[in-house]
Every structure is written in C-alpha cells, then in structure tokens.
C-alpha cells in the first residue's frame, strides 16, 4: 500500500512533510521546522506521530522537535550520528547505510556531507521517495557551509545516481529563484526554459513546485550538470574538472 505524503509550508519557506504508512498508521515528520503547523497537519488527518526523521542540525530543521515530543512523547527522534551533540535528544543516531523503519516503510540512510558535515537523507527505495533536506533543491543545491565544495559535489553526485523516477522532497521552496539562476547559467537549455515557465505558473497559482524527480533535475539543474559538455561550454569551462565547474557555479550562486 502506497504511503500518503502531505507537504506544507512551515516558517516562511521551509517545507513540513509527513509520511504516513496506511498499513500500520505509523507517521513520520521529515525534519521539524516549526511544531505548530506540523501538529495542526497531524490533527487534521488524525495521524499519530511515531517518528521524527532529522536531516541536519540547523535550527530551521530541528527547532520544532520539543513541541512534537511534548504532544507525542513516544515519537522516536532519529538524526545523524555526526551531528548528535549539536541536535541533542536523539533516540536513534544514524549513518550511512542504516535502515530505518516507519511502520512497514523502509528508509535507507545516505550520509551527504557538504551543507553540514553530517547531513543525511532518507531514501525509501521501494516507494521511489527521497527526502534530501538542504543538500539538493529543485534546480539548485544547498550552500557548502561546513565542507569544501567538492565534498558537496560528491554528495550531489550520489543523489544524481538514484533511479530517475525517484521523487525528491527538499527542505525549502526555493525553486523560482533557483530557476532564475539556472537560466542565467544555461539560457539555451530548452527543457530548463519549459521547467522555469511551469514553475512560475505554479507559484503564481499558489501551488508548490515539489516534489521534483531525479530525471527532471538531471535535465535542468546546473549543479547536477557540471559534467555535461553543454553546460561546461555555456560557462566557458569546456573539458574542465566537473568538481571545479561545480565550485564555480556554487560561488556564483552565493553572490547572486
């Protein structure tokens, strides 16, 4: 039985995401940006929170944990082993390759350093779902705050190798701004222009742009295209080391 996914805005542009297993009625929150909207979403669906899966230690991803634990004391808090001290209160500390069960749903942990040193993602392979926090965004990626750009590039390359049909849920609704930057990098990319127009229409209608898919990102996300000759030519770095192309793009985006 397919899981139910409910996505909603927390804070100004963070996403709250609930993953509900209809078979066992287990429900996981992916990150905890703000307790109140997550609790409201649970109440509206009469779902009981059983798990809180944290991707990294930044406050806008963990600050709602206390409110969620107050309302659901038995909820299990899962987070990256490498950031356990920064987060505090983890019931289960996880790292690369660990298997996490949310009811009957199985998530494999991917350690993806770059945005933070211990950042993790949760990949539900059977359901073609990946919850990637702030590592990958639609047509963008997170800043390399705690590791060099090449480390983040490697982490993104691992996500890019997931099956094309994988649905990707990210930590923020940044897609419109990311589309603008992507077009500045690769203005001749026809698929990118079509995607940017679609995103603009969705946002104008007040609709979300996520989830995206790995196949869409491979075609339109400059940060996943650093190996592509077309992109390298577009930025004046033909034949360059893809990691160097990525680092240039990330620095350019930092200044945008």
């Amino acid at each position: 039985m397919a899981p139910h996914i409910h996505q909603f805005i927390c804070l100004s542009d963070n996403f709250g995401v609930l993953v509900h297993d209809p078979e066992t009625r287990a429900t996981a929150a992916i990150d905890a940006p703000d307790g109140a909207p997550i609790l409201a979403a649970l109440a509206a669906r009469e779902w009981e929170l059983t798990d809180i899966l944290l991707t990294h230690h930044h406050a806008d991803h963990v600050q709602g944990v206390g409110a969620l634990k107050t309302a659901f004391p038995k909820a299990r808090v899962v987070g990256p082993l490498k950031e356990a001290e920064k987060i505090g209160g983890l019931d289960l500390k996880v790292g690369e390759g660990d298997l996490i069960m949310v009811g009957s749903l199985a998530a494999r942990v991917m350690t993806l350093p770059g945005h933070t040193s211990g950042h993790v993602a949760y990949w539900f392979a059977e359901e073609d779902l990946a919850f990637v926090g702030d590592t990958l965004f639609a047509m963008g990626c997170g800043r390399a705050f705690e590791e060099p750009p090449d480390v983040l590039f490697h982490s993104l390359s691992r996500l890019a190798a997931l099956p094309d049909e994988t649905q990707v849920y990210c930590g923020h609704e940044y897609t419109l701004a990311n589309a603008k930057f992507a077009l500045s990098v690769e203005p001749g990319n026809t698929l990118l222009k079509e995607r940017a127009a679609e995103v603009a229409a969705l946002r104008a209608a007040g609709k979300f742009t996520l989830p995206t898919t790995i196949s869409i990102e491979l075609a339109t996300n400059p940060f996943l295209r650093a190996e592509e000759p077309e992109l390298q030519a577009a930025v004046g770095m033909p034949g360059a080391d893809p990691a160097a192309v990525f680092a240039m793009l990330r620095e350019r985006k930092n200044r945008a």
Side-chain angles (χ1 to χ4, degrees):
M1 194 177 298
H4 297 161
I5 311 296
H6 178 54
Q7 182 178 230
F8 49 97
I9 289 293
C10 292
L11 305 175
S12 61
D13 55 31
N14 281 73
F15 274 116
V17 182
L18 298 176
V19 181
H20 178 75
D21 176 20
E23 181 179 330
T24 64
R25 295 196 59 79
T27 303
I30 308 298
D31 285 326
D34 187 0
I38 298 173
L39 291 172
L42 289 162
R45 285 152 188 79
E46 299 183 340
W47 291 349
E48 180 176 351
L49 187 66
T50 57
D51 299 276
I52 304 166
L53 307 184
L54 304 175
T55 61
H56 64 293
H57 69 82
H58 286 163
D60 64 327
H61 290 259
V62 304
Q63 62 193 7
V65 170
L68 298 180
K69 284 288 282 185
T70 296
F72 295 95
K74 295 182 180 179
R76 178 180 59 165
V77 183
V78 180
L81 170 63
K82 292 182 179 179
E83 300 186 359
E85 292 186 6
K86 293 181 178 179
I87 297 172
L90 294 181
D91 298 309
L92 181 61
K93 304 167 187 177
V94 296
E96 178 65 33
D98 287 343
L99 189 67
I100 306 301
M101 301 301 297
V102 177
S104 64
L105 307 173
R108 188 69 64 181
V109 176
M110 300 176 69
T111 299
L112 301 172
H115 182 65
T116 65
S117 293
H119 196 299
V120 299
Y122 300 92
W123 176 36
F124 293 78
E126 290 296 318
E127 290 74 29
D128 292 322
L129 296 168
F131 300 92
V132 301
D134 287 1
T135 297
L136 174 68
F137 295 123
M139 289 184 279
C141 71
R143 287 176 180 259
F145 280 128
E146 298 182 5
E147 297 291 341
D150 64 298
V151 174
L152 178 57
F153 175 70
H154 176 71
S155 293
L156 289 166
S157 298
R158 293 190 62 209
L159 289 175
L162 293 178
D164 283 355
E165 63 274 15
T166 304
Q167 295 185 71
V168 179
Y169 287 83
C170 315
H172 294 268
E173 180 58 89
Y174 287 165
T175 314
L176 196 59
N178 288 342
K180 181 179 179 181
F181 175 76
L183 283 170
S184 77
V185 172
E186 219 178 356
N189 185 327
T190 301
L191 291 175
L192 172 57
K193 287 187 282 188
E194 293 174 355
R195 175 65 172 149
E198 176 188 353
V199 164
L202 287 170
R203 295 307 294 148
K207 296 179 180 179
F208 299 147
T209 63
L210 298 175
T212 183
T213 66
I214 292 298
S215 62
I216 289 172
E217 294 310 304
L218 287 172
T220 62
N221 189 329
F223 296 103
L224 296 191
R225 293 174 50 75
E227 296 180 1
E228 295 295 325
E230 298 88 349
L231 183 136
Q232 292 186 356
V235 299
M237 298 179 68
D241 179 357
V245 176
F246 171 82
M248 181 278 296
L249 289 171
R250 186 58 263 180
E251 180 56 31
R252 183 169 157 183
K253 182 66 166 64
N254 292 346
R255 301 192 304 266

